[in-house]
Amino acid sequence: MSHINPDPEPERTPGLEPGGGVPPGETPPAESSLPEAGPRETHNPPKGWAKGPMSLIILLAVLIAAFFLAYALVLIL
């Protein structure tokens, strides 16, 4: 990959005053994108939760719901 300089060249950028200032009413030059801004991500799992942790979460939710249902039945009777 070649490195792209994100800074504009003041000599070749229209609308800039000497020294790099922007006169009133002019739009400043847009920033260029930085294709090398972050590290390359090499590990990106394609799937969501594994079956084991997801089944444990579901089982825990069912047990908590059953507890509150039983508790409500005890209070009613």
Side-chain angles (χ1 to χ4, degrees), residues 20-71:
V22 179
E26 275 292 325
T27 304
E31 296 180 17
S32 63
S33 65
L34 298 175
E36 299 152 6
R40 181 181 170 116
E41 188 175 331
T42 57
H43 175 68
N44 190 7
K47 296 183 180 179
W49 287 79
K51 292 180 182 176
M54 184 60 84
S55 60
L56 286 176
I57 291 171
I58 292 172
L59 177 66
L60 183 64
V62 168
L63 287 176
I64 290 173
F67 170 76
F68 282 114
L69 180 63
Y71 187 69

